[in-house]
Amino acid sequence: MFAPALALLASLLLCAPAQAGTVQVAVAANFTEPMKAIAADFERDTGNRVELSFGSTGKFYAQIKNGAPFDLFLSADEATPERLEREGGIVPGSRFTYAIGRLVLWSAQAGVVDDQGAVLKGNAFKAIAVANPKLAPYGAAAIQTLTKLGLLDQVQPKIVQGENIAQTYAFVATGNAELGFIALSQVWANGRIKSGSGWVVPDDLHAPIRQDAVLLARARDNNAAAALLAYLRSDTARAVIHSFGYGT
Amino acid sequence: MAADAGYAATWSAVALTLELAGLTTLILLLIGTPLAWWLARTRSWWKGPVGALVALPLVLPPSVLGFYLLVALGPAGPVGRITEALGLGLLPFTFAGLVVGSVLYSMPFVVQPIQNAFEAVGTRPLEVAATLRASPLDTFWSVLLPLARPGYLTATVMGFAHTVGEFGVVLMIGGNIPGKTRVMSVQIYDHVEALEYAQAHWLSAGMLVFAFVVLLALYLLNPTGQRRIGAGP
C-alpha cells in the first residue's frame, strides 16, 4: 500500500529543482491584473511557485499583524508598508515603490466622460463612485482632484463610496453609478482605455499614488521571495507594469 | 472635535441599522405569514422549489446575493428597468435598496420559524374553530396566532438580529453613504480597514453583547420553542 505512495513522494522531492520555492504574496486589489502576468513570467523563468492573494491594504495589514503566512506584500499605498517597517515586521531595507498608480475618471458607457473631465463641471449625473478616501489611496487622490478643481462641494452629495477600488469599479461597471474615479489599470489595455469612456486625471491634480512593496519578516530566509522582489524591479516586470498604465 | 464627529457618525450608523432592521422585520412578518402558511399547508409540487428559494440566503455567500442585487437593480438589470420605468429611480445606494436587500437576506430567518410553528399547530384546532363557526379571520387571530406565538417570537427576533448583523449585501449595494446607507457592520469594517482598532473594538463589542443578549432573551422567553436557529423545516 505505502510503497507506491512513498515512491511518488520521493520522486516529487527529487524532481523539484534545488532552489525552487514558494512565495505567498498579498497583492493590493488594484494591482491584480499586472501581478498575475508578472507572477506567470516569474514562475516560468525561475521554476518557483507564486501564490497570490488579492484584497485591500488595511485588511492585509490586520492579517499580517496576526500571523498571516505572507512573504511579500504589495500595498496600494506607502503608509502601510512604512508602518510595518516601523513596527519591525519587514526585512530591513526591502521597502521600495513598485508602481505609481494613475487615476482615471471612467464610465462604462461611451461618450459620457470627455477627455478633459468637463463632465464633472456639467454635473449632469446622478451618482459618482469614489473609493473610500480614508481607506483607499485612489479615493484620497480622487477627493484631492475634486478639491483642486473646486468641484468637491458640488459633487459631494452624489458620491457613493466603494470600500476599495475593486468595488468602486463594480459600481461603475454595472452602471449603478454613471461614472467614477478608479485605477487606470482596471480599464487600460494596449495603450488605451478598453471600453466605455474615460479621462486620465493629470498627475498634478493629486499627490502621487506610490505603491510600496515589502519583504515580510517571516520571509527572511525565503530565497524565492527575495527573487520575486528583485524581479519586480527588472525591466521585464517594469514593462508589464507600464503596459497596465502605471508609472514606476 | 474629531471625537465628537466620530460619535455622531457612530450614532447615525446605529440609528440607521435599527431603522433598517425594524422595517425589514415588519415587512418580513407581513409577507412571511402568508408565505409560511402556504408552505406549511400546500401539497403542490411548487412547495419544494419555493421552499428552496426561501432558504437560499442561508447557504449563499452574502457577496453573491449582493453582487446579483447590484446587477439586477442596476440600469441594465431587469428590476432596475422596472423601477426606472415606474419613476422610482435606481435602488442601489438608497435606503429603500437596503430594505429590499435585507428582506431577501433575512427571509429564511423569519419564514422558517413561522412555517415550523404553523406545521406544529396542525389542522385540528382550525377545524374545531371552523365547526364552532369562527370566520377564517377570527380563526387566524384567536386560534392560529396565539398557538404559533413561539414561532413568531423567534421569527421577529431572528429577522431583526440577522438584519442588524448583515454585512456583505449592504456593502455591495449600499455605497457607504453616511446617514443613508452606512450601517454598523460597514462602519466597523471601515474602522478595521483604517486601522482604527479602538473604535472597531467599541462597536464590535457592542454588537457581540447585543447578539448574546438577544439570543439569551429568546431562549429564556421561548424555552420550548425553536431552540435551534437556522434549522430547516
Side-chain angles (χ1 to χ4, degrees):
Chain A
M1 261 326 264
F2 288 109
L6 276 176
L8 184 67
L9 189 67
S11 65
L12 280 175
L13 286 172
L14 289 173
C15 281
Q19 46 319 40
T22 303
V23 196
Q24 300 269 1
V25 193
V27 185
N30 76 76
F31 204 63
T32 300
E33 292 306 319
M35 194 55 200
K36 279 186 189 160
I38 291 168
D41 290 348
F42 176 75
E43 286 187 328
R44 196 193 51 224
D45 292 352
T46 65
N48 290 306
R49 245 169 69 79
V50 180
E51 282 167 10
L52 302 175
S53 304
F54 305 102
S56 66
T57 297
K59 187 162 51 216
F60 279 136
Y61 172 84
Q63 291 176 341
I64 288 164
K65 290 301 282 181
N66 289 289
F70 295 120
D71 301 307
L72 208 58
F73 176 35
L74 272 59
S75 179
D77 64 357
E78 44 181 351
T80 311
E82 211 177 305
R83 185 175 172 134
L84 280 167
E85 182 166 32
R86 267 204 314 278
E87 292 165 350
I90 74 166
V91 173
S94 67
R95 184 161 66 87
F96 81 104
T97 302
Y98 65 91
I100 297 168
R102 304 217 49 198
L103 189 67
V104 62
L105 181 69
W106 182 70
S107 170
Q109 276 186 308
V112 172
V113 179
D114 58 288
D115 57 11
Q116 298 294 315
V119 62
L120 287 172
K121 276 203 195 77
N123 208 14
F125 49 88
K126 276 181 265 173
I128 177 168
V130 174
N132 191 331
K134 215 170 79 178
L135 310 180
Y138 288 90
I143 297 297
Q144 286 167 10
T145 300
L146 287 169
T147 309
K148 196 132 186 184
L149 294 171
L151 296 171
L152 185 60
D153 290 342
Q154 176 193 322
V155 169
Q156 187 86 56
K158 300 183 174 183
I159 289 181
V160 293
Q161 276 182 23
E163 61 101 9
N164 63 34
I165 202 68
Q167 197 190 30
T168 310
Y169 173 81
F171 286 163
V172 187
T174 55
N176 281 297
E178 295 106 304
L179 67 170
F181 284 101
I182 58 170
L184 182 60
S185 57
Q186 293 173 303
V187 290
W188 192 255
N190 304 320
R192 57 186 203 88
I193 292 171
K194 58 189 171 196
S195 68
S197 52
W199 168 52
V200 181
V201 178
D203 287 339
D204 56 2
L205 289 178
H206 59 80
I209 307 169
R210 288 185 198 285
Q211 307 196 181
D212 281 7
V214 284
L215 201 55
L216 297 167
R218 78 184 282 276
R220 204 167 280 122
D221 303 318
N222 186 337
N223 293 333
L228 180 55
L229 194 72
Y231 190 83
L232 270 173
R233 313 175 94 133
S234 70
D235 289 344
T236 328
R238 283 163 56 124
V240 174
I241 294 171
H242 288 157
S243 76
F244 281 91
Y246 290 93
T248 53
Chain B
M1 266 305 278
D4 283 353
Y7 283 124
T10 300
W11 285 118
S12 133
V14 171
L16 192 70
T17 306
L18 296 178
E19 195 184 335
L20 177 66
L23 195 58
T24 300
T25 310
L26 191 69
I27 292 172
L28 274 173
L29 288 173
L30 290 178
I31 61 175
T33 296
L35 187 55
W37 175 254
W38 183 81
L39 281 169
R41 289 289 176 270
T42 186
R43 286 182 196 159
S44 155
W45 177 87
W46 285 99
K47 177 176 174 161
V50 172
L53 272 178
V54 168
L56 264 185
L58 287 174
V59 291
L60 275 185
S63 47
V64 170
L65 200 59
F67 174 58
Y68 277 134
L69 277 173
L70 190 64
V71 172
L73 303 178
V79 184
R81 283 186 186 172
I82 295 171
T83 55
E84 278 206 307
L86 294 174
L88 299 170
L90 294 173
L91 287 173
F93 320 132
T94 65
F95 184 73
L98 288 196
V99 173
V100 169
S102 302
V103 162
L104 288 172
Y105 179 65
S106 295
M107 180 154 320
F109 292 84
V110 173
V111 171
Q112 289 189 351
I114 301 178
Q115 183 188 344
N116 289 344
F118 285 167
E119 280 168 356
V121 170
T123 50
R124 182 92 184 119
L126 310 181
E127 285 163 8
V128 172
T131 52
L132 294 172
R133 296 195 184 166
S135 71
L137 203 62
D138 191 17
T139 309
F140 176 78
W141 285 108
S142 325
V143 181
L144 187 62
L145 220 47
L147 286 172
R149 210 184 66 99
Y152 270 93
L153 189 63
T154 306
T156 307
V157 171
M158 285 315 294
F160 189 87
H162 197 65
T163 307
V164 166
E166 174 183 351
F167 173 64
V169 175
V170 292
L171 187 70
M172 213 59 138
I173 62 169
N176 201 355
I177 303 165
K180 225 167 110 192
T181 60
R182 182 184 292 164
V183 293
M184 268 173 82
S185 56
V186 173
Q187 177 96 10
I188 291 172
Y189 186 76
D190 272 12
H191 284 320
V192 174
E193 289 271 298
L195 318 187
E196 295 162 352
Y197 289 179
Q199 291 97 317
H201 272 306
W202 275 113
L203 268 179
S204 304
M207 283 282 247
L208 192 66
V209 170
F210 166 78
F212 180 76
V213 168
V214 160
L215 290 176
L216 182 68
L218 185 64
Y219 287 168
L220 293 177
L221 285 170
N222 219 3
T224 56
Q226 323 296 322
R227 277 180 178 275
R228 284 166 303 126
I229 283 119

